[in-house]
Amino acid sequence: MSILDNIGNNLDNDFENHALLPQGISLEDLDKGLYDFIKNLNITVMDETGNSRAVPIVFNTQELWAERRMNWKSMRSEYGEELTRPFMVLTRTSVKQGTSPLKRTIPVKKKFTYLKLAQFDGTLKGYVIYKIPQPTYVDISYELVFVSTYVSDTNSYYTSMIRDAYSDLQGYMKINGYYVSSRMEDPSETREEEMASEKVYEVTIPILVHGKLVDPTKFEKVIQLIR
């Protein structure tokens, strides 16, 4: 086989029907999907000069959750900049087994035929049959914390979350080609007094995401039929 033949075969393998197969989706993708969903709400507040200011959001790791919970002043943006209030902090708090929306599963993750794709090698026509495991459904819990100095800011935050994000009790995201639903649960609010007699308002909204996990490395190309 010539070098050109090898190059051609490699290109065929690289580009063969990849756009038609489902994409993978991981916990990191679901984290980013919810983060982008909240960020794209474009929640704003009015500053002291009467100008509209976007409220930044930070994804907080579980390792730093307890430490930062005690001292929000240490929060920094994704670019390392120190944040001033108001700001939002999103933290993933738990992951557990979810339930398929169809309420039925395939035992022991048996693979099923997903797609039959036509293939042409330049001479013969045929089909490639792919088998893909059923997705693993997960329920992921998050806490979205809004921290501000002014009660008027908390009012704007409540309005954006209830009216714009979860007016029908669910928010839908499109992550890697999949529609994923989330649900806003009951908020809680606290107020703390700092040493300088400055009030700090903290609103915590639990969010439950009904996601799925798909690993493309588990896709199986089982047979090729040439006719």
Side-chain angles (χ1 to χ4, degrees):
M1 182 179 292
S2 69
I3 294 177
L4 291 178
D5 289 335
N6 283 331
I7 294 175
N9 289 336
N10 288 334
L11 289 174
D12 288 341
N13 290 333
D14 286 341
F15 294 100
E16 177 191 353
N17 295 314
H18 284 182
L20 298 177
L21 295 174
Q23 298 183 64
I25 183 168
S26 64
L27 289 176
E28 290 78 8
D29 294 322
L30 294 167
D31 290 344
K32 187 177 185 304
L34 181 59
Y35 173 89
D36 290 341
F37 176 73
I38 300 299
K39 185 176 181 179
N40 291 337
L41 293 174
N42 296 318
I43 297 175
T44 60
V45 297
M46 302 296 290
D47 63 18
E48 292 82 354
T49 62
N51 295 317
S52 180
R53 176 193 168 203
V55 179
I57 178 172
V58 176
F59 190 87
N60 192 31
T61 62
Q62 290 178 312
E63 292 83 357
L64 297 176
W65 173 238
E67 175 186 345
R68 288 178 170 173
R69 184 81 171 177
M70 299 300 296
N71 184 13
W72 290 122
K73 287 185 176 180
S74 63
M75 292 302 300
R76 293 184 176 274
S77 71
E78 57 187 309
Y79 306 108
E81 302 168 341
E82 185 175 349
L83 294 179
T84 58
R85 296 188 291 262
F87 56 81
M88 294 178 288
V89 182
L90 179 66
T91 306
R92 188 178 77 200
T93 57
S94 70
V95 179
K96 65 179 182 179
Q97 194 80 20
T99 304
S100 169
L102 299 178
K103 303 299 181 184
R104 58 177 180 265
T105 59
I106 298 175
V108 296
K109 291 199 172 297
K110 182 179 178 182
K111 296 179 180 178
F112 62 94
T113 301
Y114 177 82
L115 196 59
K116 184 168 70 172
L117 302 176
Q119 181 173 278
F120 180 61
D121 63 3
T123 303
L124 298 173
K125 293 181 179 180
Y127 292 94
V128 176
I129 300 175
Y130 288 87
K131 288 188 176 182
I132 299 174
Q134 62 176 335
T136 299
Y137 291 92
V138 290
D139 289 341
I140 310 175
S141 297
Y142 297 86
E143 281 190 352
L144 180 64
V145 180
F146 177 85
V147 183
S148 179
T149 307
Y150 304 105
V151 68
S152 59
D153 293 346
T154 67
N155 293 338
S156 298
Y157 172 65
Y158 276 126
T159 300
S160 295
M161 291 300 295
I162 296 173
R163 180 194 63 196
D164 301 330
Y166 293 99
S167 60
D168 58 353
L169 304 180
Q170 291 193 81
Y172 287 90
M173 303 166 282
K174 191 173 184 180
I175 305 174
N176 292 1
Y178 302 95
Y179 286 99
V180 176
S181 69
S182 63
R183 186 176 75 244
M184 171 180 164
E185 300 187 330
D186 294 339
S188 61
E189 184 174 336
T190 60
R191 185 181 70 179
E192 298 180 3
E193 297 280 349
E194 293 194 337
M195 292 182 64
S197 299
E198 183 181 34
K199 295 182 177 64
V200 178
Y201 296 93
E202 181 182 311
V203 179
T204 301
I205 295 180
I207 297 176
L208 180 63
V209 172
H210 300 288
K212 66 176 78 173
L213 303 177
V214 177
D215 183 359
T217 65
K218 305 299 183 183
F219 297 177
E220 184 181 353
K221 184 177 177 180
V222 294
I223 191 169
Q224 181 174 340
L225 304 175
I226 301 296
R227 64 180 184 183

